[in-house]
Amino acid sequence: MLTTRRIVYPVQTEALPLQTETIGLNAEQEWISRPKGYPLFHWLQTIEGEGELLVGDTSYKLPERAGILLPPSVPHSYYAKSSAWKTYYVTFSGTLAPTLVSELLGALPGKIQWDAEDDAIREQLESMLALAESGADAAGWKSSAELYRFLTLLKTNGRRNHLPSLSRRLERLQELLDWLETEYADPGLGLAEMAG
């Protein structure tokens, strides 16, 4: 059974490239309305059930294995679409946060989904939450590194617009490269075999 957990990081004495403000698990996600948005980047991810997030006139359904990254100060609201909606969330800033988010994930808000057999994104959030709960990162550098890893997993393992994830596309490309490596020298190889 999932229980609600929430960690608020202390204000850091030095600016970090990525700084976690809060991280948590909400076992019963309540209705939230933020007419002025949240002041930092805000990731919201469904663990169980389904929710819906509204940004202006756009609605985002958030089923299991889906999340959304909101930029700072964008008005939004979200609520459960199922009887129980369990979520992970992380809020963050940092000296490089706007640049890294833009380079890795493009335009925001951005809904990201991933395949059932690929739980690296959820596992990374669990790891980040465990690190925060341990209190073993007073300076915040470990959480900064883990947050960067999380953002790269969103890029490589997540998918947008119903396209396969980058890691899946690279796997498919690697199969082609492996085949070319073994078959390229074959003089009988023709366009039909290459197309196949």
Side-chain angles (χ1 to χ4, degrees):
M1 175 153 165
L2 297 173
T3 59
T4 297
R5 298 152 63 192
R6 176 182 167 92
I7 300 295
V8 178
Y9 273 78
V11 176
Q12 299 298 320
T13 56
E14 66 178 311
L16 299 175
L18 293 169
Q19 288 181 281
T20 305
E21 181 215 27
T22 63
I23 186 167
L25 179 153
N26 198 331
E28 294 182 34
Q29 180 62 61
E30 69 276 14
W31 179 81
I32 299 285
S33 177
R34 295 192 177 106
K36 295 184 179 183
Y38 196 81
L40 308 176
F41 286 99
H42 178 209
W43 170 258
L44 179 67
Q45 167 184 329
T46 298
I47 303 169
E48 291 179 23
E50 182 176 17
E52 184 169 358
L53 183 134
L54 302 170
V55 178
D57 293 333
T58 306
S59 169
Y60 298 92
K61 302 274 191 249
L62 294 177
E64 292 181 31
R65 291 179 305 282
I68 192 162
L69 184 59
L70 295 165
S73 305
V74 170
H76 64 272
S77 62
Y78 49 90
Y79 56 92
K81 291 287 286 183
S82 57
S83 60
W85 185 31
K86 296 174 177 55
T87 63
Y88 274 122
Y89 60 90
V90 62
T91 61
F92 63 95
S93 62
T95 58
L96 294 179
T99 303
L100 288 172
V101 167
S102 176
E103 291 294 323
L104 289 170
L105 303 173
L108 297 182
K111 179 180 171 185
I112 298 173
Q113 297 181 268
W114 52 96
D115 299 324
E117 64 276 1
D118 183 1
D119 239 358
I121 292 170
R122 181 192 52 78
E123 291 167 359
Q124 179 63 15
L125 269 177
E126 287 177 0
S127 175
M128 291 166 59
L129 183 54
L131 173 64
E133 290 173 328
S134 76
D137 186 31
W141 281 101
K142 289 179 186 175
S143 66
S144 184
E146 292 301 308
L147 188 52
Y148 178 74
R149 184 169 189 272
F150 174 70
L151 292 173
T152 59
L153 282 170
L154 292 180
K155 171 70 175 181
T156 59
N157 294 40
R159 56 184 161 79
R160 295 170 92 171
N161 304 325
H162 304 291
L163 296 173
S165 68
L166 179 60
S167 60
R168 294 274 185 239
R169 286 181 276 162
L170 291 175
E171 285 173 11
R172 291 173 59 193
L173 185 59
Q174 188 58 51
E175 291 174 19
L176 173 62
L177 294 174
D178 291 344
W179 180 82
L180 282 173
E181 188 71 32
T182 59
E183 302 294 330
Y184 183 73
D186 181 357
L189 186 64
L191 289 176
E193 290 82 13
M194 291 178 83

